[in-house]
Amino acid sequence: MKEKHKIGAIQMATGPNVGANLFEVERLVRESVEEGAELVVLPENFAFMGQEDRDQLAIREVDGDGPLQAFLSRLSRQLGVWVVGGTIPLQAKTPDRVRAACLVFDDRGERVARYDKIHLFDVNLPGLDERYHESAVIEPGNEPVVIDTPFGRLGLAVCYDLRFPELFRRLLDEDAEILAVPSAFTAVTGKAHWEPLMRARAIENLAYVVAAAQGGFHVNGRETHGHSLIVDPWGTILAQAPRGTGFVCASIDREFLESVRRSFPTIHHRRLKCDA
């Protein structure tokens, strides 16, 4: 296995026009590949953000079949890049719900993983007339996912999952070395917590974190934080974007990761284990 690989995180301000969003995704992924990216992470809801969460029901797909899944497969195959496909709405067990599914495609266009977002964002932001109720539309997943890749063991999480360190400990228990976190943090919560939480998940798990974010103003009136970033296992931010459309790339170094885990072996000093 090669010791160093370049990875990328895409940032967007997605709107309700699926075709326009996918055009933008392809442009940004292509540019990141031209800079050498071998693995690219897309943000949560990269293909669609409607006026209301329930608008996702109109574009939900059956698992394994649909234009968004075909797009991700074609994109990864044509550009020869691994793609962590943010989230797309897939059919749920409950008729009026969707699963917020993060799909991973390898550089041949083959789907190699699916993770369904476990923790749902049901909050009223303090001091603001801003409320979110994802569980009204999204059916939660329940299975952590870690897969083998040419870059190392890759664990998947989505946005609000970031606030639940027990999930990341489960990923670590499955030998995760890289943590991909597609997100759409609000401007308010992102300003307060985005960077500290991302660095904390990297530091406590001695893992790389690749966080692709929505960033900017959206047609539905929502404002997202942006600041997509890549963090190394020591908590150093290797690359970070401002708000707006764009991408960041950085090299991950397996030798550095293994060196940190050997010389500062906190993950081997754990006395309390998460329940399975």
Side-chain angles (χ1 to χ4, degrees):
M1 184 180 289
K2 208 168 74 171
E3 292 299 327
K4 292 186 179 181
H5 297 273
K6 186 169 279 191
I7 55 180
I10 303 300
Q11 184 164 290
M12 304 171 63
T14 297
N17 186 321
V18 173
N21 296 328
L22 298 187
F23 181 85
E24 189 75 340
V25 168
E26 184 161 353
R27 178 182 72 83
L28 292 169
V29 172
R30 188 178 299 276
E31 290 181 4
S32 67
V33 170
E34 289 172 355
E35 286 206 9
E38 302 170 69
L39 167 71
V40 175
V41 181
L42 307 184
E44 184 179 25
N45 300 323
F46 70 90
F48 179 78
M49 286 183 70
Q51 290 291 339
E52 299 179 354
D53 284 346
R54 298 200 67 79
D55 294 343
Q56 297 179 68
L57 296 172
I59 66 161
R60 64 184 162 180
E61 297 181 357
V62 175
D63 187 28
D65 183 32
L68 298 181
Q69 295 168 84
F71 168 80
L72 291 170
S73 176
R74 177 186 63 79
L75 182 70
S76 57
R77 182 180 66 253
Q78 288 184 353
L79 297 182
V81 62
W82 283 63
V83 175
V84 177
T87 60
I88 64 171
L90 293 186
Q91 192 173 74
K93 296 177 183 178
T94 309
D96 60 345
R97 300 289 191 275
V98 300
R99 288 289 183 108
C102 178
L103 308 180
V104 182
F105 289 80
D106 68 15
D107 56 359
R108 297 170 299 174
E110 299 293 327
R111 194 178 101 180
V112 294
R114 170 182 169 176
Y115 166 69
D116 293 351
K117 184 177 181 179
I118 292 175
H119 300 97
L120 303 182
F121 192 50
D122 290 354
V123 302
N124 300 330
L125 294 184
L128 296 173
D129 185 23
E130 201 168 341
R131 296 174 176 82
Y132 298 89
H133 190 39
E134 284 188 336
S135 64
V137 177
I138 298 174
E139 181 181 85
N142 54 20
E143 290 294 331
V145 174
V146 180
I147 61 168
D148 286 315
T149 76
F151 326 108
R153 292 277 288 169
L154 176 68
L156 304 175
V158 173
C159 200
Y160 193 51
D161 283 334
L162 185 65
R163 296 182 180 275
F164 300 89
E166 61 272 21
L167 169 61
F168 290 83
R169 285 311 207 193
R170 285 286 302 277
L171 300 179
L172 180 65
D173 286 341
E174 296 184 32
D175 301 320
E177 300 167 308
I178 307 164
L179 305 168
V181 192
S183 299
F185 256 57
T186 70
V188 172
T189 58
K191 182 178 180 180
H193 302 147
W194 171 258
E195 184 178 313
L197 285 170
M198 289 297 178
R199 294 186 67 209
R201 298 296 87 85
I203 292 166
E204 67 197 8
N205 297 295
L206 297 181
Y208 283 94
V209 171
V210 190
Q214 294 283 345
F217 292 94
H218 301 266
V219 173
N220 60 11
R222 183 172 177 178
E223 183 183 1
T224 47
H225 180 63
H227 295 82
S228 297
L229 47 73
I230 300 170
V231 187
D232 78 8
W234 196 244
T236 302
I237 296 175
L238 302 179
Q240 185 169 29
R243 284 207 318 176
T245 298
F247 67 93
V248 292
C249 289
S251 290
I252 60 171
D253 186 338
R254 286 183 54 82
E255 185 176 349
F256 173 72
L257 181 144
E258 291 167 3
S259 173
V260 170
R261 288 187 171 186
R262 281 195 308 269
S263 62
F264 196 71
T266 57
I267 60 177
H268 302 296
H269 295 161
R270 296 165 61 195
R271 300 293 297 276
L272 303 176
K273 298 288 187 176
C274 295
D275 293 333

